[in-house]
Amino acid sequence: MQLKNLLITLSLLSMLNVSSNYLHASCQVLETNEESLPQSKKLYIKGKQLAALSDVLKEKLAQQSFKGIVAVTRGGLVPAGYLAHRLGIRTIETLGLSSYDDQSKQQKVLKVEKPLDLQDGGEGWLIVDDISDTGKTFEYIQNLFPKAHRLAYIVKPQGEKFVNVYAMDVAQDTWVVFPWEID
């Protein structure tokens, strides 16, 4: 089934169970190139939507405190910045992991680009990434830092069990495009 530049309004409010003062937003969903992602659609997240998801996560984390944030590079850099501002956290570390081929957008073997050493199994740290797709990245992080709190802005069904908190879930066949990504 081909969808041509179909603009649909997603009610992120109902998906997130939050009040209407957070967000009324639309996302563009398009059929992808069948060679790269068969039977898949794209969900474009815009800056205002990312900010609204950050507000939802801030509310979910309101009763917790953290030593700092670990941004999983590269996808978690911008979300970690949004959350650091909202939560008043000034300490940000990075853990460099790559699991996607930039050209083909296909998952590959997880590669550690920049290691990180957190004491006490990561206790008191918030580890942030943009998405938990298959969960392989967060499964690796869970094994590396079993006491850390794991957060993804968006989860897919296969990746949900590896995070402690998220703002939005999407179908497994949805390709999510964040504002900082080149499409």
Side-chain angles (χ1 to χ4, degrees):
M1 170 185 198
Q2 294 290 336
L3 299 175
K4 294 184 179 180
N5 296 331
L6 175 61
L7 183 64
I8 64 170
T9 300
L10 292 179
S11 175
L12 289 177
L13 296 171
S14 64
M15 293 170 73
L16 299 171
N17 274 341
V18 296
S19 64
S20 61
N21 63 348
Y22 273 109
L23 171 70
H24 285 292
S26 63
C27 297
Q28 194 174 36
V29 178
L30 303 172
E31 187 93 1
T32 63
N33 179 339
E34 293 179 15
E35 294 148 5
S36 64
L37 294 169
Q39 300 176 357
S40 181
K41 55 190 171 291
K42 287 186 179 180
L43 172 66
Y44 290 87
I45 302 294
K46 298 176 183 176
K48 287 183 181 180
Q49 295 159 333
L50 190 67
L53 294 173
S54 300
D55 290 337
V56 170
L57 290 167
K58 175 188 173 187
E59 293 301 316
K60 288 184 174 189
L61 298 170
Q63 301 303 313
Q64 300 178 50
S65 63
F66 299 99
K67 294 176 184 176
I69 291 177
V70 174
V72 179
T73 66
R74 293 177 311 199
L77 287 171
V78 173
Y82 271 83
L83 280 178
H85 281 282
R86 281 164 174 75
L87 297 174
I89 296 173
R90 294 188 176 273
T91 303
I92 302 175
E93 299 287 343
T94 59
L95 173 62
L97 301 176
S98 62
S99 61
Y100 280 92
D101 181 295
D102 288 335
Q103 306 306 317
S104 69
K105 308 284 191 218
Q106 298 295 316
Q107 278 206 311
K108 60 181 183 176
V109 176
L110 186 69
K111 182 178 175 187
V112 178
E113 305 282 350
K114 179 193 170 285
L116 177 65
D117 183 28
L118 296 177
Q119 302 300 312
D120 302 320
E123 186 172 4
W125 286 88
L126 177 63
I127 301 181
V128 177
D129 205 355
D130 54 357
I131 190 165
S132 183
D133 189 335
T134 63
K136 289 180 182 178
T137 299
F138 276 107
E139 182 178 28
Y140 173 82
I141 291 167
Q142 181 178 333
N143 290 330
L144 192 61
F145 305 118
K147 295 180 180 178
H149 200 78
R150 296 171 309 281
L151 177 149
Y153 270 60
I154 297 175
V155 297
K156 294 183 180 182
Q158 289 179 4
E160 183 178 353
K161 67 182 176 184
F162 297 105
V163 299
N164 303 106
V165 65
Y166 61 91
M168 180 178 163
D169 62 330
V170 297
Q172 196 68 41
D173 69 341
T174 303
W175 185 262
V176 180
V177 182
F178 290 94
W180 54 87
E181 295 178 316
I182 298 172
D183 186 31

